[in-house]
Every structure is written in structure tokens, then in C-alpha cells.
């Protein structure tokens, strides 16, 4: 299996990733998180789940949506400034090299960020991209910019949501937790509604791949079930390739489309509900 260092290309490049203290994109990144941390509330998340959760607004195929992401650059990402469609192929190809026998996992790499098509549906980036975390309970310090971006969030001063568990019970399970609304939860809903023929691990990886405070920093474990923790290594495995394959050396998409179309035809064919 390729190590994260190998996937990144160099140790120096690896050290540069997820730098939230300086860099040419920092002002854009901070502004996106400030808006997210102001407006992502329990009520907002419930509203978006009602709006998009049934995936009944349009019909499109996977490769069509992937091509649409040529138009999307993630404004929360401090590492890259190129379209998300290319990042999808980078991630998938990294997984393919390390796990040649798991074609379903290759497809997960391609699918994991397709929910960012919400930007093209008119959603602001702060409601689509960025690290996720639970709403309805105390924000942990590991959340990006937690010390300076929540001052205007109305939930921050609501006593119902100010404790470690907030509106949840210990061990309630991540499936029963409201995460900040964005591309992770939306794509998970698309996969469920359309009954993608993928293993449980795939659904976990897509749903929680941006939940860095959990899978990388170790927070929010008090909300987890044993099954959540059993799935955690898979989420971390996807994260290696999601993060460490980000390079300016961009893939030759035309040479890869045939292979990934075959995976789409196998696991999630045809026109899907979005």
C-alpha cells in the first residue's frame, strides 16, 4: 500500500497541506469559514435536509455531474486552486494504485466530492464545502478557526447546544447527529436514494470524509457507536488520498474516462435522482 508520504509526492509537500495560518489563499479560506460558522445552525441544517434530502430536484448521470465540477473551485481549500473534477481523478487514481483489487474504492475516490455540484444549483460555498462538524452541541477546539469565527452564530449562545452532547445522547451514533450541511451529506443522500451498489464502507467514507475533527483530531468520539469506530479506519484511508494526492501535476482525464465510466455502469448506472 502506498504511504501518505508517497501519495503526496514529497514530505515537504505533505507538510504544506491544510495550512490555515498563512498562504496565498488564506483570506479566501478564512472568509468562507467565517460565513459557514455564522450561518450553519440546527435550523439551517434541517431546512437544507428538507430541501435536498429526497434528491427529487433533477436527474443526471455521474459522469455528467463530474464534468460539471470543471466549473467549481473549492474556496475553503488552502491547498489547491484548480477545478474539483481534476481533484476527483487525482484521488481515484491514488486509490487505484494503492488498492488495485478494490474497484469499488476507486469509484468512491471519484464520487466523494460530487456533492459540490450544489454550488451550481445556487448554494453559497459556505453551505457546500469545508470541514464538517456536528451542530447542536459544543463546538470542539479542533474545528478550523473555532476560536474566531463563531461569535455571530445564534446557536453558540443557546444553552440547549452548549454542552458536550448538546441535544444528543452519549453514544447516539453519527447517523443520528446533524452535521453541518454540505457536499458530504448531500452526496451520501444521493447514494442512498439511488441505491448505489456499494459496501457500507463507501457510504461512511463519503458521508464523513470532511469530518476532520473526528477522523483526524479524535474529537466527538463521545457521540459514536462501536460501528462508527469500526468504520473510522476506512474514512481515514480515503482521507490519505483525498488530501495527499493534491498536486499541480494534473491527470490526463481523457485517458481515464473509459475506466471510470465502466465503474459507474457497474455500481451506479444511468440517470440518477439529485
Amino acid at each position: 500500500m502506498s504511504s501518505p508520504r508517497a501519495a503526496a509526492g514529497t514530505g515537504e509537500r505533505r507538510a504544506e497541506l491544510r495550512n490555515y495560518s498563512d498562504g496565498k489563499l488564506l483570506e479566501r479560506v478564512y472568509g468562507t469559514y467565517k460565513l459557514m460558522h455564522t450561518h450553519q445552525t440546527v435550523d439551517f441544517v434541517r431546512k437544507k435536509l428538507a430541501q435536498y434530502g429526497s434528491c427529487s430536484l433533477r436527474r443526471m448521470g455521474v459522469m455528467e455531474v463530474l464534468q460539471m465540477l470543471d466549473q467549481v473551485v473549492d474556496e475553503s481549500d488552502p491547498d489547491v486552486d484548480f477545478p474539483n473534477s481534476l481533484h476527483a481523478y487525482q484521488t481515484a487514481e491514488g486509490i487505484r494504485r494503492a488498492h488495485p483489487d478494490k474497484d469499488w474504492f476507486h469509484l468512491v475516490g471519484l464520487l466523494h466530492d460530487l456533492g459540490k455540484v450544489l454550488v451550481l444549483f445556487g448554494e453559497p460555498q459556505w453551505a457546500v464545502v469545508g470541514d464538517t462538524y456536528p451542530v447542536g452541541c459544543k463546538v470542539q477546539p479542533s474545528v478550523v478557526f473555532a476560536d474566531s469565527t463563531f461569535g455571530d452564530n445564534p446557536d453558540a449562545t443557546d444553552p440547549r447546544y452548549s454542552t458536550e452532547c448538546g441535544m444528543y445522547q452519549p453514544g447516539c451514533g453519527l447517523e443520528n447527529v446533524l452535521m453541518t450541511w454540505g457536499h458530504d451529506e448531500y452526496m451520501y443522500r444521493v447514494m442512498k436514494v439511488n441505491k448505489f451498489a456499494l459496501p457500507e464502507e463507501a457510504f461512511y467514507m463519503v458521508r464523513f470524509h470532511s469530518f476532520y475533527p473526528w477522523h483526524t483530531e479524535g474529537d466527538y468520539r463521545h457521540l459514536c457507536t462501536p460501528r462508527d469506530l469500526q468504520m473510522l479506519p476506512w474514512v481515514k484511508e480515503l482521507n490519505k488520498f483525498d488530501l495527499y494526492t493534491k498536486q499541480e501535476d494534473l491527470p490526463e482525464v481523457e485517458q481515464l474516462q473509459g475506466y471510470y465510466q465502466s465503474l459507474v455502469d457497474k455500481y451506479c448506472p444511468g440517470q440518477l435522482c439529485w
Side-chain angles (χ1 to χ4, degrees), residues 188 191-192 196 198-208:
Y188 165 76
M191 293 168 67
K192 292 288 285 186
F196 282 24
L198 293 168
E200 181 184 10
E201 292 85 351
F203 290 86
Y204 255 86
M205 286 189 278
V206 169
R207 194 177 197 181
F208 298 115

Side-chain angles (χ1 to χ4, degrees), residues 12-260:
E12 181 180 357
R13 170 63 177 153
R14 182 185 180 191
E16 293 172 355
L17 297 172
R18 288 183 62 81
N19 181 348
Y20 293 102
S21 59
D22 56 52
K24 64 181 181 179
L25 303 176
L26 183 61
E27 184 175 352
R28 182 188 77 181
V29 172
Y30 184 84
T32 302
Y33 275 105
K34 174 63 174 173
L35 289 168
M36 179 196 302
H37 295 167
T38 297
H39 298 295
Q40 290 269 6
T41 63
V42 171
D43 287 345
F44 176 80
V45 171
R46 287 173 173 160
K47 175 183 174 183
K48 289 302 171 184
L49 284 170
Q51 181 179 357
Y52 289 109
S54 63
C55 305
S56 57
L57 299 179
R58 49 189 60 77
R59 292 182 66 83
M60 299 180 291
V62 164
M63 299 304 280
E64 179 184 354
V65 175
L66 181 61
Q67 188 172 13
M68 290 171 70
L69 293 189
D70 288 349
Q71 306 171 58
V72 177
V73 175
D74 186 334
E75 294 179 358
S76 73
D77 194 330
D79 303 320
V80 298
D81 199 28
F82 53 75
N84 253 101
S85 54
L86 298 175
H87 167 61
Y89 281 107
Q90 286 181 333
T91 305
E93 283 294 283
I95 295 168
R96 186 181 177 187
R97 288 189 294 270
H99 298 279
D101 60 328
K102 293 182 175 63
D103 66 349
W104 64 267
F105 194 7
H106 311 166
L107 182 60
V108 170
L110 197 75
L111 296 174
H112 78 284
D113 274 350
L114 288 195
K116 291 180 183 178
V117 73
L118 285 170
V119 172
L120 303 178
F121 297 168
E123 293 296 326
Q125 290 234 359
W126 60 261
V128 179
V129 302
D131 292 5
T132 60
Y133 56 92
V135 296
C137 62
K138 182 179 178 181
V139 174
Q140 298 298 313
S142 59
V143 173
V144 174
F145 303 124
D147 59 344
S148 62
T149 52
F150 284 92
D152 296 323
N153 186 305
D155 285 3
T157 55
D158 191 322
R160 293 174 298 172
Y161 310 140
S162 62
T163 63
E164 290 294 309
C165 287
M167 66 183 194
Y168 310 111
Q169 295 297 317
C172 63
L174 294 183
E175 66 177 341
N176 297 310
V177 170
L178 287 181
M179 302 294 295
T180 48
W181 174 254
H183 69 282
D184 293 43
E185 184 67 24
Y186 175 59
M187 190 61 202
Y188 165 76
R189 299 287 173 140
V190 170
M191 293 168 67
K192 292 288 285 186
V193 166
N194 291 281
K195 297 181 170 60
F196 282 24
L198 293 168
E200 181 184 10
E201 292 85 351
F203 290 86
Y204 255 86
M205 286 189 278
V206 169
R207 194 177 197 181
F208 298 115
H209 73 270
S210 299
F211 191 7
Y212 276 85
W214 175 61
H215 65 63
T216 297
E217 303 299 334
D219 282 334
Y220 297 102
R221 301 289 176 89
H222 57 287
L223 301 176
C224 293
T225 62
R227 188 59 174 163
D228 292 327
L229 299 180
Q230 288 172 1
M231 289 290 123
L232 178 57
W234 281 102
V235 181
K236 293 171 78 71
E237 185 67 9
L238 172 63
N239 177 248
K240 288 196 313 189
F241 302 99
D242 184 14
L243 184 59
Y244 297 125
T245 58
K246 292 177 181 178
Q247 303 177 59
E248 296 297 333
D249 184 15
L250 301 178
E252 295 289 340
V253 172
E254 295 79 9
Q255 299 176 16
L256 302 173
Q257 285 175 326
Y259 174 69
Y260 288 101

